[in-house]
Amino acid sequence: MRTTGPQKVVLAKNSGFCFGVKRAVDLALRTQDRVFTLGPLIHNPQVIAYLERKGIRAIESLDRIKDGKLIIRAHGIPRSVIAEAERKGLAVIDATCPFVRKVQRTAESLSRQGYQVVIFGEANHPEVVGIADRVKNPIIVETAGHVRALGRFDKIGVVAQTTQSVESYKAIVRELKKHAKSVKAADTICNATKRNQDAATSLAKNVDLMIVVGGHNSGNTRRLASLCSKIVTTKHIEIAGELKPSWFRRAAIVGVAGGASTPDWILRDVIESIEHEF
Ligand code: SF4
């Protein structure tokens, strides 16, 4: 029987699958026969395992397949890879989130207008790789420190990976303004990310402990955990099995938040575990 532990568990609003992830997963599930994604469709190992059971396989390279349907994941892929898939005769189904398409188009347009394009994001993230592939000589920066190392430019056009933090983007733009006569900063952080971050950080101010749930390989979940950890003790887990009793000894009110690629069933599982096992 439970004698100690949290008295209340609160789920942050706007937690879990965002519009773009839901759309990509639905599209994949509706597509039949020899369905492949290049890399994981979304950054959540449990969802990827579920899709595999439904016959949707993640492959690392197009060399692995001769025919079938290729679903372009929510955060996009480079144009060169799409062209290669079409050359091979694969049916290409585009599940790129419209917000990611907007960043790609904005970066393309800035590049065409002669701006030095700067992309604020994780250099190895598929979304950033896909944006960089569409512009001439892109510069990718991950921190304000990277910006300080840049030279001077006439005009800089900057876009952000859709899931970056708004505060960090503002700091990057402030720093970029010291490196060019004019800086055009596009607002490309998606609303789902903003809402998710705002709800989680507001909740973090009113609880004793935050549990942030989502793939350890999910950039947006890691950022959510990092933002919450500046406010209150925060643990990032992928599944309920990672919860530890010692975390809850002094936590009367526990907040739970999920990243944009965290399915509802994992969030429910985590909440039920905290309520009944600790
Ligand atoms: S986080 Fe935003 S940009 Fe990314 S898939 Fe979701 S809605 Fe689209």
Side-chain angles (χ1 to χ4, degrees), residues 162-164 189-198 220 224:
T162 51
T163 52
Q164 284 296 333
I189 296 177
C190 94
N191 283 333
T193 300
K194 285 181 198 155
R195 281 197 299 267
N196 189 332
Q197 290 173 353
D198 287 350
N220 79 78
L224 206 56

Side-chain angles (χ1 to χ4, degrees), residues 217-235:
N217 60 345
S218 157
N220 79 78
T221 308
R222 283 203 305 266
R223 259 185 301 284
L224 206 56
S226 157
L227 288 170
C228 292
S229 70
K230 290 180 184 143
I231 301 167
V232 71
T233 303
T234 299
K235 305 290 180 186

Side-chain angles (χ1 to χ4, degrees), residues 18-21 74-75 97-100 127 162-163 190-193 220 260:
C18 62
F19 152 80
V21 164
H75 283 168
C97 175
F99 296 121
V100 174
E127 178 184 333
T162 51
T163 52
C190 94
N191 283 333
T193 300
N220 79 78

Side-chain angles (χ1 to χ4, degrees), residues 25 29 44-56 265:
V25 171
L29 289 172
N44 185 280
Q46 290 72 35
V47 174
I48 296 306
Y50 172 76
L51 292 173
E52 284 247 1
R53 291 196 293 277
K54 297 279 177 188
I56 298 149
W265 50 271

Side-chain angles (χ1 to χ4, degrees), residues 197-224:
Q197 290 173 353
D198 287 350
T201 49
S202 303
L203 180 60
K205 289 175 190 148
N206 296 298
V207 298
D208 304 306
L209 171 72
M210 277 299 286
I211 304 290
V212 175
V213 189
H216 290 299
N217 60 345
S218 157
N220 79 78
T221 308
R222 283 203 305 266
R223 259 185 301 284
L224 206 56

Side-chain angles (χ1 to χ4, degrees), residues 4-168:
T4 57
Q7 289 148 22
K8 199 170 165 192
V9 184
V10 186
L11 176 65
K13 286 185 190 137
N14 305 310
S15 279
F17 274 11
C18 62
F19 152 80
V21 164
K22 191 169 182 322
R23 181 174 168 274
V25 171
D26 287 350
L27 248 174
L29 289 172
R30 278 206 307 273
T31 308
Q32 308 276 316
D33 304 329
R34 293 191 59 72
V35 187
F36 301 95
T37 65
L38 196 53
L41 185 66
I42 62 171
H43 286 144
N44 185 280
Q46 290 72 35
V47 174
I48 296 306
Y50 172 76
L51 292 173
E52 284 247 1
R53 291 196 293 277
K54 297 279 177 188
I56 298 149
R57 282 180 41 212
I59 50 165
E60 287 313 314
S61 153
L62 289 181
D63 297 341
R64 305 288 301 271
I65 51 173
K66 289 197 173 62
D67 55 18
K69 295 168 186 159
L70 180 75
I71 301 195
I72 299 178
R73 56 192 165 190
H75 283 168
I77 56 177
R79 264 189 322 200
S80 49
V81 180
I82 298 174
E84 190 190 336
E86 285 170 349
R87 259 198 314 275
K88 281 179 80 111
L90 302 175
V92 176
I93 297 158
D94 194 356
T96 306
C97 175
F99 296 121
V100 174
R101 280 296 298 136
K102 184 183 143 194
V103 196
Q104 294 172 346
R105 276 197 297 263
T106 305
E108 278 166 349
S109 156
L110 287 167
S111 187
R112 268 197 311 274
Q113 292 170 58
Y115 285 88
Q116 167 60 56
V117 174
V118 174
I119 304 166
F120 167 44
E122 296 154 279
N124 294 324
H125 192 284
E127 178 184 333
V128 174
V129 174
I131 299 165
D133 179 68
R134 288 166 165 84
V135 300
K136 197 175 151 200
N137 303 324
I139 294 174
I140 300 169
V141 295
E142 298 193 12
T143 62
H146 289 168
V147 179
R148 282 192 277 278
L150 296 179
R152 277 203 68 79
F153 299 88
D154 235 22
K155 49 183 196 173
I156 287 176
V158 52
V159 296
Q161 184 183 356
T162 51
T163 52
Q164 284 296 333
S165 106
V166 175
E167 286 313 311
S168 305

